[in-house]
């Protein structure tokens, strides 16, 4: 290294701290710094002090025990141009009102209706997929398009057609999500203020989502109907903000999990056969998946749990310390950024037997078979405490249905190498590997009737 390069490197480190290392290899960074840690690890991501938390007691302290000392901070503020004052970013009475209203949409009976519609979409899309029997497919694109349709059906009780509008909202979701991943760790997101190409496409993506949501809000159903009473107090933007929040929070997270789930099944025909036996034993005579059945598939649900352990779509999320605190003996100063990292937490050798092995069996009957059982806060794919994921039940049901459909309809062949060698991109959600994950889907059984 030349003297100039060394000086530049030192200046960059003084200004940016650990950010360049984190940005270059986010997954490797949190594994190196977080796995094995039993207390917060001090980092510097840009000018502010930051702490990486990857041990159960840390999650418990920040999300539950002393939660009032932590707020949604700068990282969440980065989501505001897209989410506005939606549930992920809002705080105080506005958040409480939305969370309370949304609860109605996620009650068992309302959720069941949305799920029924999502299952129809799944059956219809499985039929279309089967027409391309034997084709090579990139999982991330496939799962993104599928979960966008399922989430729209489940949340808004709307069916996207198979043409331009379905593709437009999917593409808009991808552009918006990509922009958040690219800009999350920049000191300033200049694309918001300058007429750059990336800024323009981000704004166009937001406009497209707003256009479609406006259409859904004309006659609000499901989630939007539950939120409608808030318009009187917070104005019409509440519908836009909450709908975009739920759509973006719900589609890419579920798509990412669907990708890893399908690739795990492709790599493990033994697991696919084990699930197939369970699903075929319980499917009714008409062969249709229904919401009630999804709760009666313990092996399939264990597969979903294991996918979300090793490949948690929300592989990190953030808080800012609003007051000084002490977490597992480490002093956290007011203003520090807290990076809570389920990716590293779910791989802690102190909590899990053979943590890197893909083994859904650990979630069956007696619960995860950790060393004397893992800590309650060792497994938090949906977060914990009052701000835990509101869509957890829906996402679990959708992924269970997806697994049941895949094992009963297709043989899946993995074309991108071993599961353990796949390194996710690690953006604002986990994502798939940059090079994609390719599979061949071959139809194995006569397709079920489509509603
Ligand atoms: C596999 C799929 C999913 C995963 C892994 C996931 C994960 C998470 C996590 C970890 C949080 C907590 C973040 C924090 O504490 O800062 C969260 C919050 C949230 N999720 Fe999900 N999520 C998924 C699917 C969904 C779906 C389908 C919806 C649709 C409604 C959704 C809507 C939300 C919302 C609105 C919040 C904010 C809740 C609040 O702050 O009150 N998520 N999610």
């Amino acid at each position: 290294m030349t003297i100039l390069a060394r000086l530049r490197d030192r200046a960059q480190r003084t200004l940016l701290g650990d950010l360049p290392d984190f940005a270059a290899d986010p997954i490797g960074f949190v594994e190196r710094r977080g796995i094995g840690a039993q207390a917060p690890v001090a980092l510097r991501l840009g000018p502010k002090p930051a702490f990486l938390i990857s041990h159960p007691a840390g999650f418990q302290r920040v999300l539950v025990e002393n939660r009032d000392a932590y707020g949604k901070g700068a990282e969440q503020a980065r989501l505001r141009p897209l989410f506005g004052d939606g549930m992920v970013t809002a705080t105080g009475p506005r958040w409480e009102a939305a969370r309370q209203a949304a609860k109605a949409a996620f009650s068992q009976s309302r959720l069941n209706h949305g799920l029924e519609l999502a299952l129809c979409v799944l059956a219809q899309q499985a039929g279309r997929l089967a027409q391309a029997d034997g084709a090579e497919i990139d999982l991330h694109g496939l799962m993104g398009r599928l979960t966008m349709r399922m989430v729209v059906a489940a949340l808004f009780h709307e069916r996207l057609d198979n043409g331009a509008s379905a593709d437009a909202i999917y593409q808009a979701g991808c552009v918006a999500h990509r922009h958040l991943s690219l800009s999350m760790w920049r000191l300033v997101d200049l694309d918001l203020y300058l007429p750059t190409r990336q800024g323009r496409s981000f704004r166009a993506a937001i406009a497209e989502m707003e256009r479609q949501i406006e259409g859904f809000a004309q006659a609000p159903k499901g989630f939007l109907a539950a939120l409608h009473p808030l318009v009187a107090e917070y104005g019409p933007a509440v519908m836009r903000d909450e709908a975009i929040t739920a759509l973006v929070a719900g589609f890419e997270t579920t798509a990412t999990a669907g990708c890893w789930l399908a690739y795990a099944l492709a790599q493990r025909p033994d697991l696919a056969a084990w699930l197939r036996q369970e699903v075929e034993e319980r499917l009714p005579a008409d062969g249709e998946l229904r919401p009630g059945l999804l709760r009666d598939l313990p092996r399939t649900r264990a597969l979903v749990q294991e996918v979300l352990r090793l490949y948690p779509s929300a592989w990190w999320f953030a808080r800012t310390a609003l007051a000084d605190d002490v977490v597992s003996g480490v002093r956290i100063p007011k203003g520090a950024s807290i990076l809570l990292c389920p990716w590293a937490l779910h791989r802690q050798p102190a909590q899990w037997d053979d943590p890197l092995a893909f083994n859904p069996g650990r979630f069956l009957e007696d619960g995860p078979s950790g060393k004397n059982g893992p800590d309650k806060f060792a497994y938090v794919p949906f977060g914990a405490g009052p701000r835990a994921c509101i869509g957890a039940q829906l996402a679990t049901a959708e992924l269970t249905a997806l697994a049941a459909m895949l094992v009963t309809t297709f043989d899946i062949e993995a074309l991108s190498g071993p599961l353990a060698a796949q390194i996710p991109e690690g953006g604002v959600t986990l994502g798939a590997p940059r090079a994609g994950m390719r599979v061949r889907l071959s139809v194995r059984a006569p397709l079920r009737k489509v509603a």
Side-chain angles (χ1 to χ4, degrees):
M1 211 189 252
T2 63
I3 294 180
L4 199 63
R6 229 177 281 153
L7 282 175
R8 198 182 49 214
D9 190 52
R10 191 174 304 165
Q12 208 180 31
R13 277 184 191 285
T14 311
L15 189 66
L16 301 176
D18 295 299
L19 255 186
D21 287 348
F22 180 76
D25 173 18
I27 297 288
F29 182 89
V30 297
E31 286 189 345
R32 286 192 299 279
R33 306 291 290 269
I35 297 183
Q38 293 305 325
V41 176
L43 308 173
R44 212 161 55 68
L45 300 176
K48 271 201 310 183
F51 293 86
L52 176 68
I53 290 191
S54 58
H55 67 299
F59 274 73
Q60 182 170 5
R61 176 78 184 166
V62 171
L63 296 178
V64 179
E65 254 171 39
N66 200 23
R67 60 180 180 248
D68 292 342
Y70 297 90
K72 296 257 175 167
E75 291 74 20
Q76 249 85 2
R78 277 294 160 92
L79 305 175
R80 272 188 184 270
L82 182 63
F83 288 169
D85 214 8
M87 219 184 298
V88 166
T89 36
T91 51
R94 168 71 175 77
W95 167 76
E96 267 170 46
R99 180 96 194 184
Q100 197 55 36
K103 261 192 201 154
F106 289 92
S107 69
Q108 193 73 61
S109 59
R110 290 246 205 134
L111 194 60
N112 272 355
H113 181 52
L115 255 179
E116 268 165 23
L117 301 176
L119 293 181
C120 285
V121 168
L122 178 66
Q124 185 207 40
Q125 295 301 314
R128 286 169 62 82
L129 204 52
Q131 287 164 13
D133 188 13
E136 279 189 23
I137 291 172
D138 173 54
L139 279 175
H140 201 227
L142 171 71
M143 292 300 168
R145 287 185 165 81
L146 179 62
T147 55
M148 177 60 93
R149 284 190 161 86
M150 290 177 76
V151 165
V152 165
L155 287 179
F156 308 135
H157 301 182
E158 298 278 354
R159 202 158 174 156
L160 293 173
D161 59 29
N162 284 318
S165 71
D167 211 50
I169 195 164
Y170 163 71
Q171 295 294 352
C174 290
V175 170
H177 183 266
R178 177 122 211 99
H179 179 84
L180 295 180
S181 284
L182 290 174
S183 62
M184 181 56 73
W185 301 107
R186 288 184 194 152
L187 293 184
V188 184
D189 184 6
L190 289 175
D191 290 318
L192 292 181
Y193 311 103
L194 301 176
T196 59
R197 200 156 62 113
Q198 205 185 316
R200 271 197 300 275
S201 41
F202 183 50
R203 283 186 285 275
I206 294 178
E208 174 57 31
M209 279 192 263
E210 286 172 345
R211 193 184 65 76
Q212 297 223 23
I213 281 162
E214 225 170 84
F216 303 153
Q218 300 287 315
K221 299 190 274 291
F223 184 70
L224 284 176
L227 285 156
H228 196 254
L230 299 192
V231 171
E233 187 164 356
Y234 296 103
V238 77
M239 302 287 267
R240 176 257 179 232
D241 290 354
E242 294 301 346
I244 290 196
T245 296
L247 198 65
V248 177
F251 113 91
E252 169 57 32
T253 45
T254 317
T256 287
C259 255
W260 292 98
L261 180 153
Y263 206 76
L265 289 174
Q267 282 274 306
R268 294 282 305 273
D270 59 317
L271 282 183
W274 182 66
L275 297 194
R276 187 174 309 120
Q277 188 195 17
E278 171 178 88
V279 179
E280 287 181 348
E281 267 174 26
R282 288 168 164 83
L283 265 183
D286 64 7
E288 259 183 52
L289 282 173
R290 296 207 176 78
L293 175 71
L294 300 177
R295 288 187 286 278
D296 188 30
L297 297 174
R299 289 181 188 174
T300 317
R301 289 178 84 90
L303 175 93
V304 171
Q305 286 174 297
E306 182 67 340
V307 167
L308 292 174
R309 182 183 72 85
L310 274 177
Y311 304 102
S313 315
W315 68 287
W316 69 273
F317 47 93
R319 293 289 186 273
T320 294
L322 303 175
D324 291 349
D325 191 21
V326 176
V327 177
S328 306
V330 173
R331 199 182 82 78
I332 308 286
K334 179 179 172 181
S337 284
I338 309 294
L339 225 62
L340 294 139
C341 182
W343 176 279
L345 174 76
H346 292 174
R347 287 157 190 255
Q348 288 291 17
Q351 296 291 332
W352 305 93
D353 281 337
D354 203 359
L356 300 187
F358 188 86
N359 172 21
R362 70 174 90 233
F363 283 98
L364 284 174
E365 285 164 23
D366 307 327
S369 59
K371 294 177 176 152
N372 307 318
D375 193 291
K376 185 168 163 232
F377 287 86
Y379 181 71
V380 290
F382 294 108
R387 301 217 58 155
C389 180
I390 198 158
Q393 223 189 324
L394 170 62
T396 305
E398 285 186 335
L399 290 166
T400 307
L402 175 69
M405 181 280 281
L406 285 174
V407 296
T408 50
T409 315
F410 297 103
D411 282 323
I412 320 173
E413 186 189 345
L415 302 175
S416 296
L419 178 65
Q422 309 300 312
I423 309 296
E425 197 172 4
V428 69
T429 57
L430 187 66
R434 221 161 269 198
M437 277 196 293
R438 298 192 72 75
V439 294
R440 189 185 330 278
L441 290 180
S442 309
V443 177
R444 59 168 291 117
L447 285 168
R448 268 173 246 121
K449 245 187 345 124
V450 174

